Amino acid sequence: MRRTTRIGLGAALALSISAAAAFADTIKIAFIDPLSGPFAATGEQGLAQYRFAAEELVNRKGGVLGGKMFEIVPFDNKISPKESLIQLQVAIDQGIRFIAQGNSSGVANALTDAINKHNRRNPDNRVLFLNYSAVDPALTNDKCNFWHFRFDANADIKMDALTDIIQQDESIKKVYIIGQDYSFGKAVAAAAVRFLNEKRPDIEIVGNELHPIGKVKDFTPYARKIVASGADAVITGNWGSDMLNLGRAILDNGFTGPIYTYYAAADGITAAFGEAGDGSLKLVGEGQLNPPVSARADAYVTAFKKKYPNKDIGQPRIANVIEMLARAIEKAGSDTDIVAIAKALEGMEHDALFGGKVYMRPQDHQAIQDVHVLAHTNDGITHDFDNSGYGLKVEKTVRMAGMDSPTTCRMKRP
Amino acid sequence: MELVLVNLIDGLVTGLLLFMLSAGLTLIFSMMGVLNFAHASFYMLGAYFAYQISVYMGFWMGLLIAPPLVGVLGALVERYGLRKVHQYGHVPELIFTFGLALLIEEVVQFVWGRDTMPYDIPEILRFTAFSISGYAIPAYKIFMIFTSVAIFVVLLWVLTRTRVGMIIQAALSHPQTVEALGHNVPLVFMGVFGVGTALAGVAGVIAGPVLSTFPGMAVVLGSIVFVTIVIGGLGSLWGALVASLLIGWLTTFAKAYNIRAADILTSLGLTPPANVEESIWRDIWTVTSPQIADILPYILMVLILVFRPHGLFGKRDA
């Protein structure tokens, strides 16, 4: 009995050592996002897309630096900034050098400060922050630092692109702005007012309203007000069930104009809108799924759906994160020299898998890319969301949106 | 003026929906003295069951089958859960129902996932019933109004005009006597709990398509249901109706009109501070009614508890 235990223990030890040896050749990327609680669905979606991108875009091609594979290591932050800092420390202690995070700008703000401090104190053990979704403009303005790279267009750039489109639409004379009562909702409203006043002073903002976040049961009274105001278009930064319920209430109560949104897709929202949203629901964002930009992109999504039938490529930029990181590591010739990798990422131009170019602007580390206005429809959809037949189709495109947008970033370089 | 009428209808729909939930809760409370924290969870189960049934057999079968299913589940909970806990007093009962609410939420997430379900209004009701000077009233809202009114009438009739109703009412105040007369009081309790949860199930079935079916739907309505029955008076069906309508209209009108606190305060003779944005009173001076619409019922509840502790129609203290 004792002997077998010892043999078993020995075998387990040997196995774990060989496993560690196998892992030694991987480049680990810590994925710090909510994997439990109310936002777990969003986190799980992101994790699946990262795992697939690493496998398909890097590992299958033989890895980087002559055979090193990418490995995504998930850490659950329960969308809390405090928890994220603990998970960051755990990741750093495990020797992970690359941190990917996206959900909630509150978390991103905490992480970027912590990483900046850590890198200053531990020059031999620096880490890189790959922000793929947190869109608070401050992260690439007042709070920018050398270690933070944002791959999504920030809230201001998106609004800039959206108002470019509205500018060309002469039929829009009145706009209603409504959002959740917190920092992001307020930032969207402020940007909308600013850009509309600049570009189309003739447009009347007939409503600018905030509602409690996650507390409203029935949006009907808001919808009545929007209809009563005679608005031609609605702009909202709402997400989650607030997005769905607001959108449905507006459509149910007879509004027929466009509803411009940031987050009205995937995670069940596309399926729930279904036919009702067709023709009205628009989304501003990067990445083109429909029509597919290339056979390669088409095959990528098809392969993803085969592996994860119940998930969607809701964040096409994740492919850019992985590909650009791989290129930067190759160019730096090292997976530990974070300064060299960051310098390689700065100013990088990249042909995105889902169309267009991505340019990592050196002065503030904000990715500049094509921003589309996408329409919720079932017409001409190759890759739908939520297996519903409905998906997002590119309607209009602003090439390299926000290329010359100002930044207050004063970056300190090592 | 037309907008007032439209808002009255919208508020009526919200109120009646709330009534279907609070009717069951207040019925259960008056009978068993139990505040059922899991009541809104049965409402959620109603919506999810109906969605699952509607996938295979359509909306109407869902409306027909889901509520009895929820009712049976509620009866089983009473028979094999609450009744066992009852002997230990009220606090264990409260804790039991509270735990049940958490359990149901987790089970729902486990079975159906965290995404919103594509549970939709049936094709046949997807049209505009009528318009009041440009404001569309969807047919589904009219359907909701008629369903809830029908349920209220049937419930009132059963409770006041039938033998069963008389036994239930007697069991409310004199359970020992009723038992001595040869009636099975525990069975009556189980039945009332089942019917109460089934009512919550109906509310879930018809509210699911408009308020969306997602794992947080019970939490969103959970607390407001308790507020309703406290305002209406614990145990009173009429109270539940009046309070539900009151809350429905109160929140709807508060959201529909931008009443600013500054206007009210100045009309009271107060002058705004010189620089509102910098002042410590900023939050009070800049608040608007839509921002606080959903907490108005709670303020109303506090006022009721202070000035009329047994509620509008209640017979005993809350």
Side-chain angles (χ1 to χ4, degrees):
Chain A
M1 186 62 206
R2 229 194 183 155
R3 205 191 159 102
T4 45
T5 316
R6 208 174 292 162
I7 290 171
L9 213 66
L13 205 67
L15 268 176
S16 66
I17 289 170
S18 61
F23 282 131
D25 280 320
T26 66
I27 296 169
K28 290 186 194 171
I29 300 166
F31 176 86
I32 305 184
D33 258 325
L35 297 169
S36 66
F39 298 101
T42 322
E44 294 282 355
Q45 291 268 14
L47 180 58
Q49 291 174 65
Y50 263 103
R51 286 205 159 124
F52 187 75
E55 188 59 41
E56 193 74 15
L57 301 173
V58 176
N59 297 353
R60 183 165 292 182
K61 292 177 180 156
V64 289
L65 300 176
K68 287 195 176 183
M69 300 297 168
F70 273 13
E71 186 195 353
I72 310 294
V73 188
F75 293 89
D76 180 12
N77 71 359
K78 304 178 179 69
I79 209 150
S80 129
K82 208 174 92 201
E83 189 72 25
S84 306
L85 296 182
I86 297 169
Q87 299 299 341
L88 171 68
Q89 201 52 53
V90 175
I92 292 174
D93 288 347
Q94 290 182 10
I96 299 178
R97 302 301 195 90
F98 304 100
I99 310 292
Q101 183 271 340
N103 294 303
S104 167
S105 292
V107 170
N109 273 314
L111 280 180
T112 195
D113 283 347
I115 287 170
N116 197 18
K117 249 180 228 152
H118 169 86
N119 287 355
R120 210 165 51 220
R121 289 171 189 162
N122 306 280
D124 311 326
N125 186 21
R126 288 171 169 142
V127 297
L128 197 67
F129 183 16
L130 309 163
N131 166 9
Y132 70 94
S133 251
V135 296
D136 182 354
L139 289 163
T140 45
N141 283 292
D142 293 348
K143 301 197 80 176
C144 76
N145 68 58
F146 182 70
W147 318 104
H148 166 268
F149 290 85
R150 166 155 47 204
F151 291 82
D152 197 1
N154 72 39
D156 281 354
I157 293 179
K158 285 186 185 183
M159 187 53 76
D160 195 359
L162 176 58
T163 44
D164 276 349
I165 305 282
I166 292 178
Q167 190 178 9
Q168 296 157 13
D169 192 341
E170 287 297 328
S171 67
I172 296 176
K173 301 255 182 282
K174 292 175 176 176
V175 170
Y176 202 103
I177 305 163
I178 182 165
Q180 293 154 319
D181 196 356
Y182 82 118
S183 61
F184 173 65
K186 287 178 182 167
V188 170
V193 171
R194 196 174 77 231
F195 285 121
L196 284 176
N197 281 340
E198 266 172 34
K199 295 176 187 172
R200 281 281 299 275
D202 63 308
I203 285 188
E204 188 188 348
I205 294 166
V206 288
N208 187 354
E209 182 160 37
L210 299 168
H211 65 78
I213 172 170
K215 292 270 189 309
V216 179
K217 290 174 292 295
D218 187 3
F219 278 96
T220 306
Y222 294 102
R224 295 284 185 220
K225 260 195 291 189
I226 291 170
V227 175
S229 72
D232 302 310
V234 176
I235 297 177
T236 177
N238 278 15
W239 46 268
S241 61
D242 278 345
M243 177 63 242
L244 180 60
N245 290 343
L246 173 70
R248 301 260 313 226
I250 294 176
L251 293 169
D252 282 350
N253 290 301
F255 184 78
T256 50
I259 305 171
Y260 292 107
T261 74
Y262 278 41
Y263 297 114
D267 298 344
I269 293 182
T270 299
F273 268 113
E275 195 189 329
D278 201 349
S280 279
L281 209 57
K282 315 281 176 195
L283 190 143
V284 53
E286 46 63 62
Q288 174 168 353
L289 263 68
N290 298 298
V293 288
S294 63
R296 182 170 166 247
D298 192 22
Y300 182 83
V301 184
T302 310
F304 178 85
K305 286 301 277 188
K306 205 169 166 194
K307 193 163 181 189
Y308 302 100
N310 294 317
K311 295 199 161 58
D312 295 305
I313 303 269
Q315 293 149 319
R317 54 192 171 274
I318 288 175
N320 300 341
V321 179
I322 293 294
E323 282 191 324
M324 288 171 76
L325 178 64
R327 277 183 58 197
I329 290 175
E330 288 285 7
K331 193 176 167 202
S334 156
D335 62 331
T336 50
D337 187 354
I338 298 299
V339 176
I341 295 169
K343 289 214 161 116
L345 266 178
E346 271 191 338
M348 181 185 281
E349 272 194 43
H350 180 73
D351 291 315
L353 174 59
F354 291 101
K357 275 200 188 321
V358 183
Y359 170 62
M360 187 54 80
R361 196 159 69 168
Q363 49 281 34
D364 57 353
H365 293 185
Q366 167 67 55
I368 303 296
Q369 57 201 319
D370 293 356
V371 172
H372 311 283
V373 169
L374 308 149
H376 168 101
T377 177
N378 64 348
D379 174 40
I381 293 295
T382 316
H383 301 293
D384 64 350
F385 280 155
D386 306 327
N387 301 322
S388 64
Y390 285 84
L392 295 175
K393 192 165 103 179
V394 169
E395 240 185 21
K396 284 179 183 131
T397 302
V398 177
R399 296 257 169 243
M400 296 314 246
M403 188 66 162
D404 49 0
S405 58
T407 175
T408 57
C409 178
R410 303 251 176 288
M411 198 176 284
K412 282 199 198 109
R413 290 185 159 72
Chain B
M1 192 57 222
E2 293 84 5
L3 197 56
V4 175
L5 193 61
V6 173
N7 281 321
L8 276 175
I9 296 175
D10 288 340
L12 182 70
V13 175
T14 313
L16 285 175
L17 183 72
L18 206 54
F19 165 71
M20 269 196 283
L21 270 172
S22 44
L25 189 64
T26 206
L27 216 62
I28 291 169
F29 177 81
S30 59
M31 172 134 286
M32 313 165 71
V34 180
L35 267 180
N36 181 14
F37 276 107
H39 200 70
S41 307
F42 286 103
Y43 151 82
M44 173 160 75
L45 279 181
Y48 272 93
F49 285 174
Y51 160 70
Q52 203 57 56
I53 294 165
S54 74
V55 168
Y56 299 106
M57 292 187 275
F59 176 86
W60 302 105
M61 288 311 274
L63 181 63
L64 216 62
I65 301 174
L69 220 57
V70 176
V72 168
L73 211 65
L76 288 176
V77 164
E78 198 281 333
R79 175 67 185 79
Y80 295 102
L82 265 185
R83 200 180 292 181
K84 293 228 162 36
V85 187
H86 187 68
Q87 53 190 312
Y88 302 110
H90 281 327
V91 175
E93 280 179 320
L94 281 183
I95 296 172
F96 173 79
T97 59
F98 191 71
L100 190 66
L102 298 177
L103 184 74
I104 291 177
E105 189 177 329
E106 286 304 319
V107 168
V108 163
Q109 293 194 11
F110 183 77
V111 176
W112 284 279
R114 295 186 168 89
D115 287 356
T116 304
M117 292 294 118
Y119 179 34
D120 213 347
I121 295 169
E123 198 73 50
I124 192 168
L125 286 177
R126 228 175 281 163
F127 63 95
T128 304
F130 55 90
S131 294
I132 301 173
S133 64
Y135 301 104
I137 307 289
Y140 195 74
K141 291 218 154 146
I142 307 299
F143 163 74
M144 281 171 89
I145 293 175
F146 275 108
T147 316
S148 356
V149 169
I151 284 172
F152 176 70
V153 170
V154 170
L155 211 59
L156 206 63
W157 179 76
V158 168
L159 280 178
T160 54
R161 296 273 182 278
T162 64
R163 260 188 89 77
V164 180
M166 282 196 285
I167 296 169
I168 291 174
Q169 289 207 342
L172 279 180
S173 45
H174 303 93
Q176 273 87 11
T177 319
V178 174
E179 201 150 31
L181 286 170
H183 295 290
N184 188 349
V185 171
L187 184 72
V188 174
F189 279 15
M190 191 176 94
V192 168
F193 201 89
V195 171
T197 49
L199 276 178
V202 179
V205 176
I206 66 172
V210 276
L211 301 185
S212 73
T213 309
F214 63 108
M217 64 191 291
V219 181
V220 175
L221 271 178
S223 51
I224 196 78
V225 177
F226 285 101
V227 174
T228 314
I229 65 165
V230 169
I231 293 176
L234 291 168
S236 161
L237 199 61
W238 278 103
L241 180 69
V242 171
S244 304
L245 294 179
L246 202 63
I247 290 176
W249 280 320
L250 186 68
T251 51
T252 303
F253 277 98
K255 283 177 203 167
Y257 295 94
N258 270 330
I259 303 163
R260 287 179 302 166
D263 295 342
I264 298 176
L265 291 173
T266 41
S267 71
L268 287 177
L270 294 166
T271 45
N275 190 346
V276 175
E277 285 303 314
E278 301 293 319
S279 159
I280 49 165
W281 303 108
R282 188 189 72 177
D283 289 340
I284 293 180
W285 277 91
T286 54
V287 80
T288 59
S289 64
Q291 279 177 295
I292 55 162
D294 284 298
I295 58 164
L296 286 179
Y298 298 89
I299 299 175
L300 185 64
M301 178 180 78
V302 172
L303 291 177
I304 290 275
L305 284 176
V306 170
F307 294 108
R308 206 181 152 87
H310 45 85
L312 294 175
F313 290 78
K315 294 187 181 69
R316 52 183 143 179
D317 287 359

